[in-house]
């Protein structure tokens, strides 16, 4: 969780929009459970696309510094 990412009114709107789905999945209607439901839903549905040139020293340096770029991702090599 990133502190200060959302304003209080935005958080309330997020929780209100998730309340029906959380209730359908049997989640108790507490702020902590609603927060956990939201975070887990984001984790399941968030996909990130990164584009790197596979050539050159910059890519090698990133791969050494951040091995998850190679180990924990799906690489789609296209030309």
């Amino acid at each position: 969780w990133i502190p200060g990412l959302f304003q209080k009114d935005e958080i309330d709107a997020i929780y209100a929009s998730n309340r029906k789905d959380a209730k359908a999945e049997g989640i108790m209607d507490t702020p902590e459970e609603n927060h956990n439901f939201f975070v887990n839903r984001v984790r399941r549905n968030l996909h990130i696309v990164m584009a790197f040139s596979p050539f050159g020293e910059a890519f090698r340096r990133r791969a050494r510094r951040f091995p998850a770029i190679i180990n924990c991702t799906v690489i789609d090599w296209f030309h």
Side-chain angles (χ1 to χ4, degrees):
W1 186 257
I2 301 172
L5 182 64
F6 298 110
Q7 299 295 322
K8 175 74 170 124
D9 59 333
E10 293 173 324
I11 292 172
D12 293 340
I14 290 169
Y15 291 169
S17 67
N18 283 331
R19 188 164 281 127
K20 184 175 79 171
D21 294 334
K23 186 176 181 180
E25 291 190 24
I27 306 296
M28 292 179 16
D29 192 14
T30 64
E32 183 178 336
E33 291 297 322
N34 206 335
H35 171 78
N36 291 336
F37 178 77
F38 171 69
V39 170
N40 289 332
R41 180 180 253 186
V42 169
R43 284 181 181 157
R44 279 193 314 262
N45 295 311
L46 182 66
H47 296 82
I48 298 174
V49 175
M50 296 177 9
F52 292 107
S53 172
F55 301 103
E57 184 59 33
F59 182 73
R60 286 187 208 97
R61 189 172 43 249
R62 284 188 194 107
R64 281 192 299 268
R65 288 179 58 202
F66 308 104
I69 291 174
I70 305 299
N71 298 332
C72 301
T73 60
V74 174
I75 298 177
D76 184 11
W77 298 96
F78 59 92
H79 305 305

